[in-house]
Amino acid sequence: QAQLLESGGGLVQPGGSLRLSCAASGVIRNIYRMGWYRQAPGKQRDLVALITNGVSTNYADSVKGRFTCSTDNAKITVYLEMNRLKPDDTAVYYCYMTMREVGKSTSDYWGQGTQVTVSS
């Protein structure tokens, strides 16, 4: 079973930057979507950024111009560069991939989540 391993969360002051990484393990045949969601306390999990078929990227309106999502398909890794962070960005960030492992059907995969806290 493929797994997603996240890294890069932490505490940062408003206006600061963080970079999240998420690498997939396992024998992967195809990757269709890679991206990030986040969930703040007491709220639902919302889309942050999603790259589909390596071509189109969708961002939540609240992060446009501040966050950049990118991938390294050779390493099966997705990144989230977060700049000009605000307290409202505080949440647990989850990486997400839709992919097909060798010998299996296409499925959705989630990382374990990494805490991002923006506070002075």
Side-chain angles (χ1 to χ4, degrees), residues 69-105:
C69 186
S70 61
T71 64
D72 184 335
N73 286 344
K75 296 180 180 179
I76 317 177
T77 300
V78 60
Y79 305 96
L80 186 67
E81 186 76 35
M82 303 183 291
N83 298 311
R84 305 200 309 274
L85 282 160
K86 306 175 181 178
D88 284 349
D89 295 319
T90 295
V92 177
Y93 284 69
Y94 297 91
C95 74
Y96 163 83
M97 297 187 189
T98 300
M99 57 187 179
R100 185 159 69 101
E101 294 183 74
V102 172
K104 297 185 179 181
S105 58

PDB file of all heavy atoms in Angstrom, residues 69-105:
ATOM      1  N   CYS A  69       2.057  25.667  -5.536  1.00  0.00           N
ATOM      2  CA  CYS A  69       2.106  24.207  -5.485  1.00  0.00           C
ATOM      3  C   CYS A  69       2.900  23.706  -6.682  1.00  0.00           C
ATOM      4  O   CYS A  69       2.690  24.171  -7.815  1.00  0.00           O
ATOM      5  CB  CYS A  69       0.697  23.628  -5.514  1.00  0.00           C
ATOM      6  SG  CYS A  69       0.611  21.838  -5.297  1.00  0.00           S
ATOM      7  N   SER A  70       3.829  22.791  -6.434  1.00  0.00           N
ATOM      8  CA  SER A  70       4.638  22.248  -7.520  1.00  0.00           C
ATOM      9  C   SER A  70       4.905  20.765  -7.265  1.00  0.00           C
ATOM     10  O   SER A  70       4.676  20.265  -6.160  1.00  0.00           O
ATOM     11  CB  SER A  70       5.960  23.001  -7.643  1.00  0.00           C
ATOM     12  OG  SER A  70       6.717  22.883  -6.448  1.00  0.00           O
ATOM     13  N   THR A  71       5.360  20.088  -8.302  1.00  0.00           N
ATOM     14  CA  THR A  71       5.598  18.648  -8.178  1.00  0.00           C
ATOM     15  C   THR A  71       6.940  18.263  -8.781  1.00  0.00           C
ATOM     16  O   THR A  71       7.484  18.965  -9.628  1.00  0.00           O
ATOM     17  CB  THR A  71       4.502  17.828  -8.879  1.00  0.00           C
ATOM     18  OG1 THR A  71       4.562  18.105 -10.285  1.00  0.00           O
ATOM     19  CG2 THR A  71       3.129  18.170  -8.359  1.00  0.00           C
ATOM     20  N   ASP A  72       7.451  17.155  -8.309  1.00  0.00           N
ATOM     21  CA  ASP A  72       8.594  16.482  -8.918  1.00  0.00           C
ATOM     22  C   ASP A  72       8.130  15.064  -9.187  1.00  0.00           C
ATOM     23  O   ASP A  72       8.125  14.215  -8.291  1.00  0.00           O
ATOM     24  CB  ASP A  72       9.801  16.512  -7.979  1.00  0.00           C
ATOM     25  CG  ASP A  72      11.046  15.902  -8.611  1.00  0.00           C
ATOM     26  OD1 ASP A  72      10.892  15.053  -9.519  1.00  0.00           O
ATOM     27  OD2 ASP A  72      12.150  16.257  -8.189  1.00  0.00           O
ATOM     28  N   ASN A  73       7.675  14.815 -10.402  1.00  0.00           N
ATOM     29  CA  ASN A  73       7.085  13.521 -10.706  1.00  0.00           C
ATOM     30  C   ASN A  73       8.100  12.383 -10.599  1.00  0.00           C
ATOM     31  O   ASN A  73       7.736  11.260 -10.238  1.00  0.00           O
ATOM     32  CB  ASN A  73       6.469  13.540 -12.098  1.00  0.00           C
ATOM     33  CG  ASN A  73       5.173  14.337 -12.130  1.00  0.00           C
ATOM     34  OD1 ASN A  73       4.583  14.619 -11.090  1.00  0.00           O
ATOM     35  ND2 ASN A  73       4.749  14.716 -13.314  1.00  0.00           N
ATOM     36  N   ALA A  74       9.347  12.680 -10.892  1.00  0.00           N
ATOM     37  CA  ALA A  74      10.369  11.634 -10.791  1.00  0.00           C
ATOM     38  C   ALA A  74      10.513  11.153  -9.355  1.00  0.00           C
ATOM     39  O   ALA A  74      10.800   9.983  -9.099  1.00  0.00           O
ATOM     40  CB  ALA A  74      11.697  12.146 -11.321  1.00  0.00           C
ATOM     41  N   LYS A  75      10.330  12.071  -8.403  1.00  0.00           N
ATOM     42  CA  LYS A  75      10.431  11.719  -6.988  1.00  0.00           C
ATOM     43  C   LYS A  75       9.060  11.456  -6.369  1.00  0.00           C
ATOM     44  O   LYS A  75       8.979  11.159  -5.176  1.00  0.00           O
ATOM     45  CB  LYS A  75      11.116  12.851  -6.225  1.00  0.00           C
ATOM     46  CG  LYS A  75      12.556  13.109  -6.642  1.00  0.00           C
ATOM     47  CD  LYS A  75      13.154  14.249  -5.831  1.00  0.00           C
ATOM     48  CE  LYS A  75      14.590  14.520  -6.221  1.00  0.00           C
ATOM     49  NZ  LYS A  75      15.182  15.645  -5.452  1.00  0.00           N
ATOM     50  N   ILE A  76       7.994  11.571  -7.153  1.00  0.00           N
ATOM     51  CA  ILE A  76       6.615  11.427  -6.686  1.00  0.00           C
ATOM     52  C   ILE A  76       6.428  12.287  -5.445  1.00  0.00           C
ATOM     53  O   ILE A  76       6.033  11.813  -4.364  1.00  0.00           O
ATOM     54  CB  ILE A  76       6.230   9.967  -6.412  1.00  0.00           C
ATOM     55  CG1 ILE A  76       6.740   9.044  -7.513  1.00  0.00           C
ATOM     56  CG2 ILE A  76       4.694   9.833  -6.354  1.00  0.00           C
ATOM     57  CD1 ILE A  76       6.471   7.588  -7.280  1.00  0.00           C
ATOM     58  N   THR A  77       6.736  13.553  -5.593  1.00  0.00           N
ATOM     59  CA  THR A  77       6.701  14.499  -4.482  1.00  0.00           C
ATOM     60  C   THR A  77       5.934  15.747  -4.889  1.00  0.00           C
ATOM     61  O   THR A  77       6.065  16.217  -6.019  1.00  0.00           O
ATOM     62  CB  THR A  77       8.128  14.876  -4.062  1.00  0.00           C
ATOM     63  OG1 THR A  77       8.829  13.690  -3.649  1.00  0.00           O
ATOM     64  CG2 THR A  77       8.116  15.864  -2.911  1.00  0.00           C
ATOM     65  N   VAL A  78       5.134  16.243  -3.948  1.00  0.00           N
ATOM     66  CA  VAL A  78       4.416  17.491  -4.155  1.00  0.00           C
ATOM     67  C   VAL A  78       4.853  18.476  -3.075  1.00  0.00           C
ATOM     68  O   VAL A  78       5.077  18.083  -1.928  1.00  0.00           O
ATOM     69  CB  VAL A  78       2.887  17.269  -4.155  1.00  0.00           C
ATOM     70  CG1 VAL A  78       2.395  16.691  -2.843  1.00  0.00           C
ATOM     71  CG2 VAL A  78       2.152  18.556  -4.493  1.00  0.00           C
ATOM     72  N   TYR A  79       4.990  19.728  -3.460  1.00  0.00           N
ATOM     73  CA  TYR A  79       5.451  20.777  -2.548  1.00  0.00           C
ATOM     74  C   TYR A  79       4.391  21.868  -2.431  1.00  0.00           C
ATOM     75  O   TYR A  79       3.595  22.079  -3.347  1.00  0.00           O
ATOM     76  CB  TYR A  79       6.742  21.411  -3.076  1.00  0.00           C
ATOM     77  CG  TYR A  79       7.859  20.432  -3.337  1.00  0.00           C
ATOM     78  CD1 TYR A  79       8.069  19.922  -4.617  1.00  0.00           C
ATOM     79  CD2 TYR A  79       8.702  20.020  -2.317  1.00  0.00           C
ATOM     80  CE1 TYR A  79       9.105  19.022  -4.871  1.00  0.00           C
ATOM     81  CE2 TYR A  79       9.732  19.119  -2.556  1.00  0.00           C
ATOM     82  CZ  TYR A  79       9.923  18.627  -3.832  1.00  0.00           C
ATOM     83  OH  TYR A  79      10.945  17.736  -4.070  1.00  0.00           O
ATOM     84  N   LEU A  80       4.430  22.575  -1.323  1.00  0.00           N
ATOM     85  CA  LEU A  80       3.586  23.757  -1.152  1.00  0.00           C
ATOM     86  C   LEU A  80       4.460  24.845  -0.554  1.00  0.00           C
ATOM     87  O   LEU A  80       4.859  24.766   0.613  1.00  0.00           O
ATOM     88  CB  LEU A  80       2.384  23.480  -0.248  1.00  0.00           C
ATOM     89  CG  LEU A  80       1.391  24.627  -0.146  1.00  0.00           C
ATOM     90  CD1 LEU A  80       0.684  24.846  -1.496  1.00  0.00           C
ATOM     91  CD2 LEU A  80       0.340  24.349   0.941  1.00  0.00           C
ATOM     92  N   GLU A  81       4.769  25.841  -1.367  1.00  0.00           N
ATOM     93  CA  GLU A  81       5.532  26.998  -0.913  1.00  0.00           C
ATOM     94  C   GLU A  81       4.534  28.041  -0.438  1.00  0.00           C
ATOM     95  O   GLU A  81       3.671  28.481  -1.211  1.00  0.00           O
ATOM     96  CB  GLU A  81       6.365  27.557  -2.063  1.00  0.00           C
ATOM     97  CG  GLU A  81       7.305  28.675  -1.668  1.00  0.00           C
ATOM     98  CD  GLU A  81       8.541  28.162  -0.936  1.00  0.00           C
ATOM     99  OE1 GLU A  81       9.019  27.062  -1.266  1.00  0.00           O
ATOM    100  OE2 GLU A  81       9.015  28.881  -0.033  1.00  0.00           O
ATOM    101  N   MET A  82       4.627  28.415   0.841  1.00  0.00           N
ATOM    102  CA  MET A  82       3.662  29.334   1.429  1.00  0.00           C
ATOM    103  C   MET A  82       4.385  30.612   1.852  1.00  0.00           C
ATOM    104  O   MET A  82       5.313  30.564   2.667  1.00  0.00           O
ATOM    105  CB  MET A  82       2.995  28.685   2.645  1.00  0.00           C
ATOM    106  CG  MET A  82       2.319  27.370   2.330  1.00  0.00           C
ATOM    107  SD  MET A  82       1.449  26.657   3.743  1.00  0.00           S
ATOM    108  CE  MET A  82       2.836  26.219   4.787  1.00  0.00           C
ATOM    109  N   ASN A  83       3.967  31.730   1.276  1.00  0.00           N
ATOM    110  CA  ASN A  83       4.570  33.033   1.576  1.00  0.00           C
ATOM    111  C   ASN A  83       3.525  33.976   2.143  1.00  0.00           C
ATOM    112  O   ASN A  83       2.319  33.761   1.974  1.00  0.00           O
ATOM    113  CB  ASN A  83       5.182  33.624   0.305  1.00  0.00           C
ATOM    114  CG  ASN A  83       6.292  32.766  -0.255  1.00  0.00           C
ATOM    115  OD1 ASN A  83       7.210  32.349   0.460  1.00  0.00           O
ATOM    116  ND2 ASN A  83       6.224  32.480  -1.551  1.00  0.00           N
ATOM    117  N   ARG A  84       4.002  35.022   2.785  1.00  0.00           N
ATOM    118  CA  ARG A  84       3.117  36.046   3.382  1.00  0.00           C
ATOM    119  C   ARG A  84       2.020  35.373   4.197  1.00  0.00           C
ATOM    120  O   ARG A  84       0.829  35.669   4.048  1.00  0.00           O
ATOM    121  CB  ARG A  84       2.545  36.945   2.300  1.00  0.00           C
ATOM    122  CG  ARG A  84       3.611  37.598   1.434  1.00  0.00           C
ATOM    123  CD  ARG A  84       3.129  38.821   0.691  1.00  0.00           C
ATOM    124  NE  ARG A  84       1.911  38.636  -0.050  1.00  0.00           N
ATOM    125  CZ  ARG A  84       1.850  38.157  -1.289  1.00  0.00           C
ATOM    126  NH1 ARG A  84       2.955  37.788  -1.893  1.00  0.00           N
ATOM    127  NH2 ARG A  84       0.698  38.052  -1.895  1.00  0.00           N
ATOM    128  N   LEU A  85       2.427  34.484   5.062  1.00  0.00           N
ATOM    129  CA  LEU A  85       1.468  33.723   5.850  1.00  0.00           C
ATOM    130  C   LEU A  85       0.693  34.618   6.812  1.00  0.00           C
ATOM    131  O   LEU A  85       1.215  35.600   7.354  1.00  0.00           O
ATOM    132  CB  LEU A  85       2.183  32.618   6.618  1.00  0.00           C
ATOM    133  CG  LEU A  85       2.539  31.398   5.764  1.00  0.00           C
ATOM    134  CD1 LEU A  85       3.644  30.580   6.401  1.00  0.00           C
ATOM    135  CD2 LEU A  85       1.311  30.541   5.537  1.00  0.00           C
ATOM    136  N   LYS A  86      -0.574  34.230   7.021  1.00  0.00           N
ATOM    137  CA  LYS A  86      -1.490  34.958   7.889  1.00  0.00           C
ATOM    138  C   LYS A  86      -1.977  34.036   9.001  1.00  0.00           C
ATOM    139  O   LYS A  86      -1.978  32.815   8.835  1.00  0.00           O
ATOM    140  CB  LYS A  86      -2.694  35.442   7.085  1.00  0.00           C
ATOM    141  CG  LYS A  86      -2.365  36.250   5.853  1.00  0.00           C
ATOM    142  CD  LYS A  86      -3.638  36.557   5.072  1.00  0.00           C
ATOM    143  CE  LYS A  86      -3.341  37.336   3.814  1.00  0.00           C
ATOM    144  NZ  LYS A  86      -4.580  37.599   3.034  1.00  0.00           N
ATOM    145  N   PRO A  87      -2.434  34.603  10.110  1.00  0.00           N
ATOM    146  CA  PRO A  87      -2.991  33.747  11.165  1.00  0.00           C
ATOM    147  C   PRO A  87      -4.117  32.846  10.666  1.00  0.00           C
ATOM    148  O   PRO A  87      -4.261  31.714  11.146  1.00  0.00           O
ATOM    149  CB  PRO A  87      -3.493  34.763  12.196  1.00  0.00           C
ATOM    150  CG  PRO A  87      -2.569  35.928  12.028  1.00  0.00           C
ATOM    151  CD  PRO A  87      -2.290  36.001  10.548  1.00  0.00           C
ATOM    152  N   ASP A  88      -4.894  33.298   9.688  1.00  0.00           N
ATOM    153  CA  ASP A  88      -5.986  32.484   9.136  1.00  0.00           C
ATOM    154  C   ASP A  88      -5.475  31.261   8.382  1.00  0.00           C
ATOM    155  O   ASP A  88      -6.275  30.376   8.056  1.00  0.00           O
ATOM    156  CB  ASP A  88      -6.854  33.319   8.192  1.00  0.00           C
ATOM    157  CG  ASP A  88      -7.776  34.263   8.947  1.00  0.00           C
ATOM    158  OD1 ASP A  88      -7.884  34.114  10.182  1.00  0.00           O
ATOM    159  OD2 ASP A  88      -8.386  35.141   8.321  1.00  0.00           O
ATOM    160  N   ASP A  89      -4.188  31.215   8.086  1.00  0.00           N
ATOM    161  CA  ASP A  89      -3.624  30.036   7.426  1.00  0.00           C
ATOM    162  C   ASP A  89      -3.330  28.911   8.417  1.00  0.00           C
ATOM    163  O   ASP A  89      -2.944  27.813   8.005  1.00  0.00           O
ATOM    164  CB  ASP A  89      -2.327  30.406   6.690  1.00  0.00           C
ATOM    165  CG  ASP A  89      -2.555  31.377   5.545  1.00  0.00           C
ATOM    166  OD1 ASP A  89      -3.552  31.200   4.816  1.00  0.00           O
ATOM    167  OD2 ASP A  89      -1.744  32.315   5.390  1.00  0.00           O
ATOM    168  N   THR A  90      -3.489  29.184   9.700  1.00  0.00           N
ATOM    169  CA  THR A  90      -3.242  28.163  10.711  1.00  0.00           C
ATOM    170  C   THR A  90      -4.197  26.992  10.532  1.00  0.00           C
ATOM    171  O   THR A  90      -5.418  27.171  10.489  1.00  0.00           O
ATOM    172  CB  THR A  90      -3.406  28.755  12.119  1.00  0.00           C
ATOM    173  OG1 THR A  90      -2.399  29.746  12.325  1.00  0.00           O
ATOM    174  CG2 THR A  90      -3.288  27.673  13.183  1.00  0.00           C
ATOM    175  N   ALA A  91      -3.642  25.799  10.391  1.00  0.00           N
ATOM    176  CA  ALA A  91      -4.447  24.602  10.147  1.00  0.00           C
ATOM    177  C   ALA A  91      -3.522  23.389  10.104  1.00  0.00           C
ATOM    178  O   ALA A  91      -2.293  23.527  10.081  1.00  0.00           O
ATOM    179  CB  ALA A  91      -5.193  24.715   8.824  1.00  0.00           C
ATOM    180  N   VAL A  92      -4.138  22.215  10.071  1.00  0.00           N
ATOM    181  CA  VAL A  92      -3.406  20.995   9.727  1.00  0.00           C
ATOM    182  C   VAL A  92      -3.475  20.846   8.207  1.00  0.00           C
ATOM    183  O   VAL A  92      -4.572  20.881   7.633  1.00  0.00           O
ATOM    184  CB  VAL A  92      -3.991  19.762  10.422  1.00  0.00           C
ATOM    185  CG1 VAL A  92      -3.246  18.502   9.976  1.00  0.00           C
ATOM    186  CG2 VAL A  92      -3.928  19.920  11.934  1.00  0.00           C
ATOM    187  N   TYR A  93      -2.326  20.706   7.591  1.00  0.00           N
ATOM    188  CA  TYR A  93      -2.245  20.597   6.144  1.00  0.00           C
ATOM    189  C   TYR A  93      -2.039  19.126   5.754  1.00  0.00           C
ATOM    190  O   TYR A  93      -1.153  18.450   6.289  1.00  0.00           O
ATOM    191  CB  TYR A  93      -1.100  21.451   5.613  1.00  0.00           C
ATOM    192  CG  TYR A  93      -1.429  22.919   5.594  1.00  0.00           C
ATOM    193  CD1 TYR A  93      -1.568  23.640   6.777  1.00  0.00           C
ATOM    194  CD2 TYR A  93      -1.654  23.595   4.398  1.00  0.00           C
ATOM    195  CE1 TYR A  93      -1.897  24.984   6.779  1.00  0.00           C
ATOM    196  CE2 TYR A  93      -1.975  24.940   4.380  1.00  0.00           C
ATOM    197  CZ  TYR A  93      -2.099  25.631   5.577  1.00  0.00           C
ATOM    198  OH  TYR A  93      -2.434  26.964   5.569  1.00  0.00           O
ATOM    199  N   TYR A  94      -2.861  18.677   4.817  1.00  0.00           N
ATOM    200  CA  TYR A  94      -2.820  17.285   4.353  1.00  0.00           C
ATOM    201  C   TYR A  94      -2.460  17.246   2.874  1.00  0.00           C
ATOM    202  O   TYR A  94      -3.094  17.943   2.069  1.00  0.00           O
ATOM    203  CB  TYR A  94      -4.171  16.612   4.525  1.00  0.00           C
ATOM    204  CG  TYR A  94      -4.643  16.500   5.953  1.00  0.00           C
ATOM    205  CD1 TYR A  94      -5.425  17.505   6.531  1.00  0.00           C
ATOM    206  CD2 TYR A  94      -4.338  15.378   6.726  1.00  0.00           C
ATOM    207  CE1 TYR A  94      -5.858  17.401   7.845  1.00  0.00           C
ATOM    208  CE2 TYR A  94      -4.778  15.259   8.032  1.00  0.00           C
ATOM    209  CZ  TYR A  94      -5.533  16.278   8.580  1.00  0.00           C
ATOM    210  OH  TYR A  94      -5.980  16.168   9.881  1.00  0.00           O
ATOM    211  N   CYS A  95      -1.479  16.450   2.523  1.00  0.00           N
ATOM    212  CA  CYS A  95      -1.236  16.258   1.103  1.00  0.00           C
ATOM    213  C   CYS A  95      -2.176  15.177   0.578  1.00  0.00           C
ATOM    214  O   CYS A  95      -2.672  14.336   1.345  1.00  0.00           O
ATOM    215  CB  CYS A  95       0.221  15.930   0.807  1.00  0.00           C
ATOM    216  SG  CYS A  95       0.758  14.287   1.243  1.00  0.00           S
ATOM    217  N   TYR A  96      -2.381  15.212  -0.705  1.00  0.00           N
ATOM    218  CA  TYR A  96      -3.397  14.369  -1.344  1.00  0.00           C
ATOM    219  C   TYR A  96      -2.890  13.967  -2.725  1.00  0.00           C
ATOM    220  O   TYR A  96      -2.321  14.783  -3.449  1.00  0.00           O
ATOM    221  CB  TYR A  96      -4.695  15.165  -1.454  1.00  0.00           C
ATOM    222  CG  TYR A  96      -5.698  14.603  -2.421  1.00  0.00           C
ATOM    223  CD1 TYR A  96      -6.558  13.580  -2.036  1.00  0.00           C
ATOM    224  CD2 TYR A  96      -5.800  15.092  -3.719  1.00  0.00           C
ATOM    225  CE1 TYR A  96      -7.487  13.065  -2.917  1.00  0.00           C
ATOM    226  CE2 TYR A  96      -6.723  14.577  -4.604  1.00  0.00           C
ATOM    227  CZ  TYR A  96      -7.568  13.574  -4.197  1.00  0.00           C
ATOM    228  OH  TYR A  96      -8.475  13.072  -5.071  1.00  0.00           O
ATOM    229  N   MET A  97      -3.087  12.714  -3.070  1.00  0.00           N
ATOM    230  CA  MET A  97      -2.765  12.235  -4.418  1.00  0.00           C
ATOM    231  C   MET A  97      -3.820  11.257  -4.885  1.00  0.00           C
ATOM    232  O   MET A  97      -4.297  10.436  -4.093  1.00  0.00           O
ATOM    233  CB  MET A  97      -1.393  11.551  -4.440  1.00  0.00           C
ATOM    234  CG  MET A  97      -0.234  12.456  -4.097  1.00  0.00           C
ATOM    235  SD  MET A  97       1.361  11.626  -4.340  1.00  0.00           S
ATOM    236  CE  MET A  97       2.477  12.814  -3.616  1.00  0.00           C
ATOM    237  N   THR A  98      -4.169  11.345  -6.143  1.00  0.00           N
ATOM    238  CA  THR A  98      -4.954  10.317  -6.813  1.00  0.00           C
ATOM    239  C   THR A  98      -3.996   9.584  -7.735  1.00  0.00           C
ATOM    240  O   THR A  98      -3.419  10.198  -8.640  1.00  0.00           O
ATOM    241  CB  THR A  98      -6.101  10.925  -7.627  1.00  0.00           C
ATOM    242  OG1 THR A  98      -6.959  11.667  -6.765  1.00  0.00           O
ATOM    243  CG2 THR A  98      -6.900   9.812  -8.302  1.00  0.00           C
ATOM    244  N   MET A  99      -3.813   8.311  -7.501  1.00  0.00           N
ATOM    245  CA  MET A  99      -2.826   7.580  -8.289  1.00  0.00           C
ATOM    246  C   MET A  99      -3.175   6.099  -8.328  1.00  0.00           C
ATOM    247  O   MET A  99      -4.088   5.641  -7.631  1.00  0.00           O
ATOM    248  CB  MET A  99      -1.433   7.781  -7.699  1.00  0.00           C
ATOM    249  CG  MET A  99      -1.275   7.384  -6.260  1.00  0.00           C
ATOM    250  SD  MET A  99       0.373   7.870  -5.642  1.00  0.00           S
ATOM    251  CE  MET A  99       0.241   7.313  -3.951  1.00  0.00           C
ATOM    252  N   ARG A 100      -2.462   5.403  -9.197  1.00  0.00           N
ATOM    253  CA  ARG A 100      -2.696   3.970  -9.333  1.00  0.00           C
ATOM    254  C   ARG A 100      -1.379   3.236  -9.090  1.00  0.00           C
ATOM    255  O   ARG A 100      -0.389   3.466  -9.795  1.00  0.00           O
ATOM    256  CB  ARG A 100      -3.230   3.649 -10.724  1.00  0.00           C
ATOM    257  CG  ARG A 100      -3.606   2.191 -10.908  1.00  0.00           C
ATOM    258  CD  ARG A 100      -4.573   2.036 -12.056  1.00  0.00           C
ATOM    259  NE  ARG A 100      -3.953   2.316 -13.348  1.00  0.00           N
ATOM    260  CZ  ARG A 100      -3.546   1.386 -14.196  1.00  0.00           C
ATOM    261  NH1 ARG A 100      -3.641   0.114 -13.867  1.00  0.00           N
ATOM    262  NH2 ARG A 100      -3.023   1.730 -15.354  1.00  0.00           N
ATOM    263  N   GLU A 101      -1.417   2.398  -8.073  1.00  0.00           N
ATOM    264  CA  GLU A 101      -0.267   1.538  -7.814  1.00  0.00           C
ATOM    265  C   GLU A 101      -0.286   0.381  -8.807  1.00  0.00           C
ATOM    266  O   GLU A 101      -1.344  -0.001  -9.324  1.00  0.00           O
ATOM    267  CB  GLU A 101      -0.331   0.974  -6.399  1.00  0.00           C
ATOM    268  CG  GLU A 101      -0.201   1.997  -5.299  1.00  0.00           C
ATOM    269  CD  GLU A 101      -0.202   1.348  -3.932  1.00  0.00           C
ATOM    270  OE1 GLU A 101       0.821   0.722  -3.556  1.00  0.00           O
ATOM    271  OE2 GLU A 101      -1.223   1.456  -3.232  1.00  0.00           O
ATOM    272  N   VAL A 102       0.864  -0.199  -9.062  1.00  0.00           N
ATOM    273  CA  VAL A 102       0.955  -1.368  -9.929  1.00  0.00           C
ATOM    274  C   VAL A 102       0.090  -2.483  -9.351  1.00  0.00           C
ATOM    275  O   VAL A 102       0.181  -2.817  -8.168  1.00  0.00           O
ATOM    276  CB  VAL A 102       2.414  -1.826 -10.059  1.00  0.00           C
ATOM    277  CG1 VAL A 102       2.489  -3.154 -10.799  1.00  0.00           C
ATOM    278  CG2 VAL A 102       3.241  -0.773 -10.777  1.00  0.00           C
ATOM    279  N   GLY A 103      -0.791  -3.021 -10.196  1.00  0.00           N
ATOM    280  CA  GLY A 103      -1.638  -4.132  -9.774  1.00  0.00           C
ATOM    281  C   GLY A 103      -2.874  -3.740  -8.987  1.00  0.00           C
ATOM    282  O   GLY A 103      -3.591  -4.616  -8.496  1.00  0.00           O
ATOM    283  N   LYS A 104      -3.113  -2.425  -8.860  1.00  0.00           N
ATOM    284  CA  LYS A 104      -4.271  -1.973  -8.091  1.00  0.00           C
ATOM    285  C   LYS A 104      -5.072  -0.961  -8.904  1.00  0.00           C
ATOM    286  O   LYS A 104      -4.615  -0.450  -9.920  1.00  0.00           O
ATOM    287  CB  LYS A 104      -3.819  -1.350  -6.772  1.00  0.00           C
ATOM    288  CG  LYS A 104      -3.100  -2.318  -5.844  1.00  0.00           C
ATOM    289  CD  LYS A 104      -2.777  -1.668  -4.511  1.00  0.00           C
ATOM    290  CE  LYS A 104      -2.090  -2.652  -3.571  1.00  0.00           C
ATOM    291  NZ  LYS A 104      -1.794  -2.043  -2.256  1.00  0.00           N
ATOM    292  N   SER A 105      -6.279  -0.662  -8.425  1.00  0.00           N
ATOM    293  CA  SER A 105      -7.102   0.324  -9.089  1.00  0.00           C
ATOM    294  C   SER A 105      -6.740   1.729  -8.603  1.00  0.00           C
ATOM    295  O   SER A 105      -6.074   1.890  -7.572  1.00  0.00           O
ATOM    296  CB  SER A 105      -8.577   0.039  -8.827  1.00  0.00           C
ATOM    297  OG  SER A 105      -8.829   0.035  -7.437  1.00  0.00           O
TER     298      SER A 105
END
